[in-house]
Amino acid sequence: MERITSRKHAFVARLRALAAHGEERARLGEFVCDGEKPLREALAAGAYVTGVLCCEGRVPPLPEGVPCYTAPPELVAWASPLKNSPGPVFTCARRPVPPPERLRRAVVLEQVQDPGNVGTVIRTADALGIDAVILTGACADPWGPKVVRATMASAFRQPVLSVPLEQLGAFLEEQGLPLYGAALTDRAKSVRDVPIEAAAVAVGSEGSGLSDALLALCAGQVIIPMAPGRDSLNAAVAASILMWEMVRDHGR
């Protein structure tokens, strides 16, 4: 175990770079996490933890061979992507959770760039047993620290796929999943009246909704019934309601 006292230490520099730059996460094949619970969940899920930085006197139990560093609390807080973090701050190898060979239910996010929304959808999908979260377009990096934090450790359990829009139709057809788009249009039917229990449902960004190109792939459009005069839901909230409808009354 090595004690670190300098911000220039190589592991501290690596933590900062992984937190700040998606390019570094891709180049190194790692991402950064923070907190005792996420570390426990990562280890329990069999994630490959590649390094841990913790406060002096607060070393967590770690498997043999995991590099561990200690540092003063102020240095741990500086190295963390969170504000005033007590740590531990740790790195994991980017190893996506494999989805089932055949998907039964999936949620598709298009151009959802808010990390909190993407993380919340991943967390909800994990809680409800959705087979995969599919990201298409310029969504927030699922390995970014804010997304991983918002998943509350579901990042280590929930399959997340990145599928380019031009390949999405063929991918879902191969899986045997019809695609329904959540949209505020005259063509949209109440989600209560559409059989989405064995389907993929797409949600777009709050600003622009689903693109015309994605809607063209859809077998139908759905809408969440709301009080008169209301037509807006947070993207993560909308996706969560749709996922609940997918599993409701179907033996879940």
Side-chain angles (χ1 to χ4, degrees):
M1 186 180 305
E2 180 182 346
R3 183 173 184 268
I4 296 175
T5 58
S6 171
R7 292 184 176 185
K8 296 182 180 180
H9 189 278
F11 187 64
V12 174
R14 192 164 108 214
L15 290 171
R16 298 274 295 186
L18 289 171
H21 304 294
E23 296 85 355
E24 280 297 286
R25 294 191 287 271
R27 185 180 72 84
L28 296 175
E30 293 181 317
F31 63 104
V32 62
C33 307
D34 186 290
E36 293 183 2
K37 183 178 185 294
L39 178 58
R40 289 196 302 270
E41 295 278 1
L43 293 172
Y48 180 32
V49 177
T50 54
V52 180
L53 175 66
C54 50
C55 291
E56 295 167 323
R58 297 183 60 180
V59 179
L62 295 171
E64 186 175 353
V66 175
C68 184
Y69 306 88
T70 63
E74 58 272 16
L75 183 52
V76 173
W78 188 81
S80 171
L82 303 181
K83 187 176 181 180
N84 299 322
S85 169
V89 190
F90 61 100
T91 52
C92 287
R94 288 185 11 166
R95 292 182 175 176
V97 179
E101 185 174 342
R102 179 67 63 177
L103 302 182
R104 299 167 302 150
R105 302 181 183 98
V107 61
V108 178
L109 299 182
E110 184 191 30
Q111 304 281 14
V112 178
Q113 298 179 348
D114 182 86
N117 281 341
V118 173
T120 297
V121 171
I122 293 171
R123 180 182 181 184
T124 306
D126 179 37
L128 295 178
I130 302 299
D131 291 327
V133 175
I134 301 173
L135 307 180
T136 193
C139 289
D141 182 1
W143 304 109
K146 292 182 179 179
V147 174
V148 173
R149 184 71 177 178
T151 71
M152 293 301 290
S154 290
F156 303 114
R157 297 184 296 264
Q158 174 62 39
V160 178
L161 309 175
S162 293
V163 180
L165 181 58
E166 58 271 20
Q167 298 175 19
L168 182 62
F171 174 78
L172 293 176
E173 183 177 356
E174 181 182 341
Q175 291 290 326
L177 289 182
L179 176 64
Y180 294 94
L184 298 172
T185 70
D186 294 338
R187 295 177 55 193
K189 297 180 180 179
S190 168
V191 67
R192 297 169 179 166
D193 301 326
V194 179
I196 62 170
E197 62 270 14
V201 180
V203 175
S205 69
E206 294 171 41
S208 56
L210 294 172
S211 68
D212 291 341
L214 192 145
L215 286 172
L217 301 175
C218 293
Q221 299 177 18
V222 297
I223 191 170
I224 298 169
M226 287 176 272
R230 280 73 166 181
D231 63 0
S232 177
L233 282 172
N234 170 273
V237 172
S240 297
I241 293 171
L242 293 167
M243 286 187 281
W244 169 251
E245 288 292 330
M246 294 173 82
V247 302
R248 181 175 64 88
D249 295 338
H250 299 294
R252 305 296 298 181

